[in-house]
Structure formats: structure tokens, C-alpha cells
Amino acid sequence: MTAAGLTAHRGGPLRGRVRAPGDKSISHRSLILGAMARGRTEIEGLLEGDDVKRTAAAMAAFGASVERLGEGRWRVEGQGGFSEPADVIDCGNAGTGVRLIMGAAAGHDLAATFTGDTSLRGRPMNRVLKPLGEMGARWICRSGGRLPLTLQGGGLKTIAYRLPEPSAQVKSAVLLAGLNAAGGAEVIEPEATRDHTERMLRAFGAEVQVEVLADGARRIRVAGGQALTGASVRVPGDPSSAAFPLVAALITPGSEVTVEGVLLNPLRAALFTTLQEMGADLVISDARDEGGDRVGDVTARHSALRGIVVPPERAPAMIDEYPILAVAAAFAEGPTLMRGIGEMRVKESDRIALTAAGLAACGVGVEEEPEGLIVAGTARGNHPVAGGARVTTHGDHRIAMSHLVLGLASEAPVSVDEPGMIATSFPGFTDLMAGLGAAIETTELDAA
């Protein structure tokens, strides 16, 4: 038995200018807020990956008119709230989508059943269900808070919820539920997480109060009974996606790559700071404000990298980028220590374990910790990364793309299985990389 995979080969330098696909977090939120609002929402630059398409379909199921007008251009006509869906809401692989949609749906008097693919059905929903339950939502689900899950919303009361661990998804779910809760909702986050929900709620006409407390925590409040109004949204390039061609350029000799229109929100751009601390020739130009956020063009040139200790408090601002950071660290001189990243274990997969396994299979020294990863850089003495492995991804798109980038600069090719999942966040990844000069081809792999 064989199965289709992707294999990356070492080749010449990568060169060119590209635009990253639209930011996934903002794409999900633009559709959800547009459906909750009354009136028309026009969206440009929407990420048209599988995850976001699932959210678009869900918003139509909850009563909004959702129409694709052209590449990245979508229109949502909201009715000022959700109506009860007639069928099961299948969120595919979209963890962000299902958690935010459950928060939004909890504020309405309706019952909705959610499911997803094998990966999503195995991921815990308890962190979102706990505060929604305290507000008055009810549900029935599989053990461990797993999908399929039927949620009964409506009649919510106010909550003041302190996040036990940093999570923009939990924060956002509570705030969206709070819009239709008596007394609204308050979330206290000890560590700042991505603030797209707060920014976008304001753009849709909601009043949002953000206060920094004496201990450095952030308190976010929304009043109940607020009506949202349709808005225009321009989705910037996703920094998590931009990371792949940029790191590929940093580790491939002779390369220079520019990714245009990348989101530079300080709560999302920590990877760029980290790479610069490692010695990366990474330059940001044409920084500008678009749609209430900072965007700019990011240029990466091949660089001699060095290992560093990544501050644990930086994790919330780059939690999705640690797999590709670990690839950069593999080509650095000296070890790179990444700690405070336990959140990676409950993503689409256990990303700490899969990153460690993939690097080890490619000849990179790596040590896995409960909430950390230590990568022994191979650059000292010009020792190359061996590569030559078939990496098991468990259907995780970021694990797949990260190891394909590694294969572009390793001695022997690197293959990944289940490459179709890359489309969940980065449709057109292989074409974009090929346009820069990368050698990535579809291959037949022996079925495991």
C-alpha cells in the first residue's frame, strides 16, 4: 500500500517577493462577527483554507447570508444574531473556529450540535466549556469534553473569569458570549494573548474596556445587550504562515525572500523578534496601519544563526510558530531553549512531541520537556543537518510545513505524510514555495 506525501529536496537559493495568505485568526473572527452583526460586512483578503471555509459554512447554518465574491473577497449579511441551525455544525479541523462559535452561540436561545474531524474530536473543549457553564450554558458531550457536543445556549448571566492559562480562544469565547449575557462579561488574563477579538469588536461597534492591572494582568470587559453593526474588514497576511518562507530563506544559502503585507501586531510578531535575537538578517519595511492593526513587509536573508534562550513569557505571542522556530534552531550554533510552551500539547496534535520526533529523525539533537523543547544546533564546525527522514505529522499542517522547510536545507530529502492538511491554513503552500525556487514534490510513500 502507498499513500501520497510531499518530499522537500535541497536545492539552490530561494528568491522573490510573495504575499502570505490572510491571517487565520482574523479571518475566523471577521466571519463570526459579521454573522452576529446586523447589516453587511465586506471582507478582503480572507484566508480561503479549509478551517475558515468551515467557519463560513457554519455562519450560513446559523442564519447569515455568506457569499464569496472573488479571490479572498467575501460578503456576510448578518441578521443581528444567530438562529438555530437545522443540522450538525462540522468544523473540520478548526479548533479556533469551533471554540469561538460555541462562545457566540451560547448567548442565543438555541441548541446546536458541533463535530469535527478525527483530530478535532480528540481535542479537549473543557477550557471553553467551564466559563460558558458558569454563565449558564448547558451541553452534553463525549467524555473529556470532546466532540460531538450539543450546546444549549440562552439565559446567560455575567461572569468575571480569570484565565488559568493564556488562551485567546477561551478569552474570545467568553467575550462573544458576554455580548448577549445579562451584565456582560469580564476576562482577566495574567499574560497578554492575541487581541484580535477586542480590536475587531470595536470595529463592529461594540464598547470594549481594556485595563492593565497593577500586577500586569489585563482586564477586558464587554457590556451585555450590545448590538454589532456590519463593517469592512481587510485581513492582513498571517505571520504564522509568513514564517515558513522566511525561515526557509534564513537557512538556505544565498537566499533572499520578502513576504508582503504581514500582520505586525506585537501580540503576534514575537517570532520575528526571536529570530533577530538569533542573528537573523530579518528586516521589516513599509510598516503601516491598516484596519486598526500594524502591517509591513518582512525580508529574510540567509544568516548564521545562534542558539538562544527564548523567554517563556513570549510564548502566547508565538505559540503556533515554535515548530518552525525549532527548525531554525536546528541550523543554529549552540542550543535553543524553548520553555513555557505546554499549550503546544493541546493544539492540532501534541506539537512538542511531534516536533521533537521529527527533528530527531532528521539527525538533530533534541530534548523534550513537559512544557519545553531544547534543540541542539548543528552549525558548530559546519556540521550539516542530516535529514533523510519520513516525518509522521498526525495530520498537523504546521508540523508538515516545518519539516518540509527543514528538508530544503538538509543533506538528504525530508518527506511528510498527510500533506492534504496543509490546506487548512496555507492553501497554495507548495506553489508559493516553488515560485521562490524550492524543490518540493509529491511522492508516493509506503503506507505506515
Side-chain angles (χ1 to χ4, degrees):
M1 293 287 291
T2 60
L6 286 175
T7 299
H9 301 261
R10 184 170 186 163
L14 307 178
R15 294 187 173 274
R17 298 179 69 91
V18 294
R19 187 173 184 92
D23 184 80
K24 187 161 74 162
S25 296
I26 294 176
S27 293
H28 280 302
R29 288 162 173 81
S30 64
L31 291 167
I32 294 169
L33 293 178
M36 295 179 72
R38 181 168 296 282
R40 176 173 296 178
T41 293
E42 301 276 0
I43 307 169
E44 293 185 25
L46 188 85
L47 171 65
E48 294 182 331
D50 293 346
D51 282 6
V52 175
K53 288 180 179 178
R54 295 282 187 172
T55 294
M59 294 305 95
F62 279 107
S65 170
V66 181
E67 180 182 5
R68 184 180 188 270
L69 305 177
E71 185 174 351
R73 295 178 52 242
W74 290 65
R75 175 182 295 150
V76 180
E77 295 278 357
Q79 304 303 313
F82 284 4
S83 57
E84 187 168 89
D87 207 342
V88 174
I89 304 297
D90 187 345
C91 291
N93 191 246
T96 298
V98 71
R99 292 185 177 102
L100 268 59
I101 296 168
M102 286 197 294
H108 298 86
D109 184 13
L110 55 80
T113 299
F114 298 90
T115 191
D117 66 9
T118 301
S119 171
L120 191 61
R121 292 197 305 272
R123 294 161 66 183
M125 298 293 147
N126 288 330
R127 291 186 302 167
V128 169
L129 295 175
K130 182 177 185 297
L132 294 181
E134 292 178 14
M135 297 175 78
R138 293 170 288 137
W139 63 86
I140 183 170
C141 64
R142 293 169 63 219
S143 63
R146 292 177 296 160
L147 306 180
L149 178 150
T150 297
L151 177 77
Q152 175 64 56
L156 300 189
K157 61 185 179 183
T158 189
I159 190 174
Y161 189 69
R162 187 177 184 91
L163 294 177
E165 61 272 313
S167 173
Q169 294 178 1
V170 176
K171 172 180 69 175
S172 298
V174 174
L175 294 177
L176 294 179
L179 292 173
N180 291 295
E186 173 184 301
V187 177
I188 298 173
E189 51 178 10
E191 298 178 52
T193 65
R194 55 186 65 178
D195 61 352
H196 304 311
T197 299
E198 298 96 301
R199 289 173 179 263
M200 295 182 70
L201 279 171
R202 293 191 182 105
F204 280 81
E207 181 180 343
V208 183
Q209 299 176 343
V210 180
E211 177 185 2
V212 178
L213 305 180
D215 62 358
R218 296 171 78 241
R219 175 188 286 139
I220 306 102
R221 292 192 183 106
V222 295
Q226 296 196 66
L228 304 182
T229 304
S232 295
V233 179
R234 182 176 176 84
V235 182
D238 194 325
S240 299
S241 297
F244 297 106
L246 292 172
V247 169
L250 293 177
I251 64 176
T252 304
S255 297
E256 180 175 333
V257 168
T258 298
V259 184
E260 302 174 341
V262 180
L263 177 67
L264 299 177
N265 182 308
L267 295 175
R268 290 291 303 285
L271 174 69
F272 302 148
T273 301
T274 302
L275 290 171
Q276 288 170 333
E277 290 173 355
M278 295 174 71
D281 184 352
L282 197 73
V283 178
I284 295 172
S285 60
D286 194 23
R288 56 205 182 268
D289 289 321
E290 285 186 6
D293 245 318
R294 197 75 170 160
V295 303
D297 303 338
V298 185
T299 299
R301 301 176 183 88
H302 177 246
S303 304
L305 303 176
R306 59 181 177 271
I308 64 169
V309 176
V310 184
E313 60 272 16
R314 196 173 285 173
M318 54 183 287
I319 195 64
D320 287 332
E321 286 81 72
Y322 280 95
I324 190 62
L325 173 62
V327 169
F331 290 85
E333 179 177 349
T336 296
L337 282 68
M338 296 166 266
R339 293 191 168 119
I341 58 174
E343 176 78 6
M344 286 178 64
R345 294 203 184 272
V346 292
K347 289 290 187 176
E348 283 83 337
S349 66
D350 182 340
R351 285 183 174 160
I352 293 178
L354 289 185
T355 299
L359 292 180
C362 291
V364 178
V366 58
E367 181 181 345
E368 180 182 345
E369 298 180 339
E371 295 197 5
L373 200 62
I374 303 173
V375 178
T378 63
R380 182 176 284 109
N382 201 31
H383 180 68
V385 173
R390 170 187 169 175
V391 175
T392 300
T393 66
H394 289 281
D396 191 311
H397 49 115
R398 299 200 193 280
I399 297 298
M401 288 185 283
S402 296
H403 287 91
L404 289 171
V405 168
L406 184 147
L408 297 176
S410 59
E411 289 292 287
V414 175
S415 299
V416 301
D417 65 359
E418 301 186 70
M421 295 306 295
I422 291 173
T424 62
S425 67
F426 202 148
F429 168 76
T430 53
D431 289 341
L432 180 145
M433 295 300 294
L436 295 172
I440 302 175
E441 63 178 353
T442 301
T443 52
E444 293 296 322
L445 305 177
D446 290 335

